[in-house]
Amino acid sequence: MAMRRTVGAAAVAAVTLLAVWGGPCGTPAAAAPAPASKAAGSCDVLATGASAVAEGAVRAACEQIGVWYTWGGGHGPQPGPTYGQVDPSDPDSAHDPERLGFDCSGLVRYAYARAAGGDPLAGNAYHQFHAPQVQRRFTAADGTAPLLPGDLLAWGSGGSIHHIAIYLGAGKMVEARESGTRIGVSDVRLGGDYAGAVRVAAAAAPGTFSTWGTDVWTHREPSTASPRVHRFPGPTTVRVDCQKHAEPVTAEGYTNDAWSYLPEYEAWITNIYIKGAAWLDGVRTCP
């Protein structure tokens, strides 16, 4: 029998920011270009062909030119600038708790929330690069030729993504790069650990749901005894491919034996931690 769970506001809002970010966005400050000036007028949609939502995201991000980068900034209960945190690995972040601003993924979250409505890209750079809303991917070898304004460029290696920025066109991007700098326009950096880019759809893909709770793990198999794959520090939008009955799990007073397969993570999550019915509506049964 299907049952529904409701989540208290405190459970949804309690996102442990320090666990989410894991490191500074971008590369060492010595390599950072000077922040772009608002008066320069260089932050805008610089090519044609993008969707209205993508163009809106570009313009929303460009409105933040000159705002401080803050580590963990932009990840409050609602999209928008927040005071940052001290990053233990970066001495330049010492003043981030005093600065209202965004980190790299906080800026992306805000820009697409403004353009699309709702909060379609909550989470860190890794979550955004693997979001269910991604409709097309580009490898590092593709360069900038196939990119359109609003595409998200990412840096990382070995499956890890540590920085994300928004493409403007003409080889330019807007980014919140690192502590001690302000949001600005930069030349796209295709070297180093540039991982490629993604194009975000205007609407969520079919089978999109939100997780709830904090520090929720996915597993290699539909069992809590199988190896852990990925941790969701807080509520995250995910795409469910299929679901099946497997190990019963009890949490928050509920027991459920349904598990969902998340193709972007190649992992399983108990339906206890997915908002919706115990057996998700509109999702097929795994073979």
Side-chain angles (χ1 to χ4, degrees):
M1 178 175 66
M3 63 182 176
R4 288 193 171 272
R5 299 171 298 278
T6 58
V7 186
V12 176
V15 179
T16 307
L17 289 174
L18 186 62
V20 176
W21 318 127
C25 291
T27 51
S37 166
K38 288 184 179 180
S42 57
C43 192
D44 203 347
V45 177
L46 301 181
T48 60
S51 70
V53 168
E55 290 189 351
V58 167
R59 295 190 172 105
C62 287
E63 290 174 1
Q64 304 306 307
I65 290 290
V67 171
W68 279 108
Y69 173 100
T70 59
W71 194 67
H75 293 279
Q78 300 297 326
T82 61
Y83 290 97
Q85 297 186 22
V86 173
D87 174 6
S89 69
D90 184 8
D92 289 336
S93 70
H95 294 288
D96 284 5
E98 307 160 19
R99 292 168 173 167
L100 190 67
F102 300 91
D103 68 5
C104 59
S105 52
L107 178 64
V108 168
R109 177 195 183 195
Y110 171 78
Y112 268 91
R114 278 277 307 277
D119 192 6
L121 292 177
N124 63 16
Y126 176 90
H127 297 141
Q128 292 169 348
F129 191 66
H130 294 281
Q133 291 85 354
V134 169
Q135 66 177 174
R136 188 172 178 186
R137 293 187 175 276
F138 306 93
T139 68
D142 290 329
T144 61
L147 301 186
L148 295 175
D151 289 348
L152 305 181
L153 306 105
W155 288 260
S157 60
S160 173
I161 300 297
H162 64 80
H163 185 56
I164 199 160
I166 302 175
Y167 190 59
L168 302 176
K172 300 287 186 180
M173 62 185 179
V174 57
E175 62 177 340
R177 186 165 183 181
E178 61 190 342
S179 294
T181 68
R182 298 175 185 265
I183 294 171
V185 174
S186 307
D187 293 329
V188 172
R189 300 181 293 275
L190 296 178
D193 62 350
Y194 174 63
V198 295
R199 184 163 298 153
V200 177
T208 298
F209 296 86
S210 176
T211 68
W212 69 273
T214 59
D215 296 329
V216 174
W217 282 93
T218 62
H219 293 265
R220 186 71 62 197
E221 301 294 338
S223 167
T224 56
S226 69
R228 290 175 167 181
V229 176
H230 184 81
R231 179 178 61 85
F232 295 128
T236 303
T237 301
V238 296
R239 183 170 68 88
V240 174
D241 178 60
C242 62
Q243 57 190 335
K244 68 188 296 184
H245 294 289
E247 177 193 354
V249 175
T250 299
E252 303 292 330
Y254 295 102
T255 298
N256 191 357
D257 70 348
W259 288 71
S260 290
Y261 181 70
L262 311 182
E264 275 75 28
Y265 298 91
E266 297 183 345
W268 295 82
I269 185 173
T270 168
N271 283 17
I272 283 283
Y273 291 110
I274 297 182
K275 293 181 185 178
W279 186 258
L280 298 174
D281 298 330
V283 176
R284 69 188 180 101
T285 301
C286 299

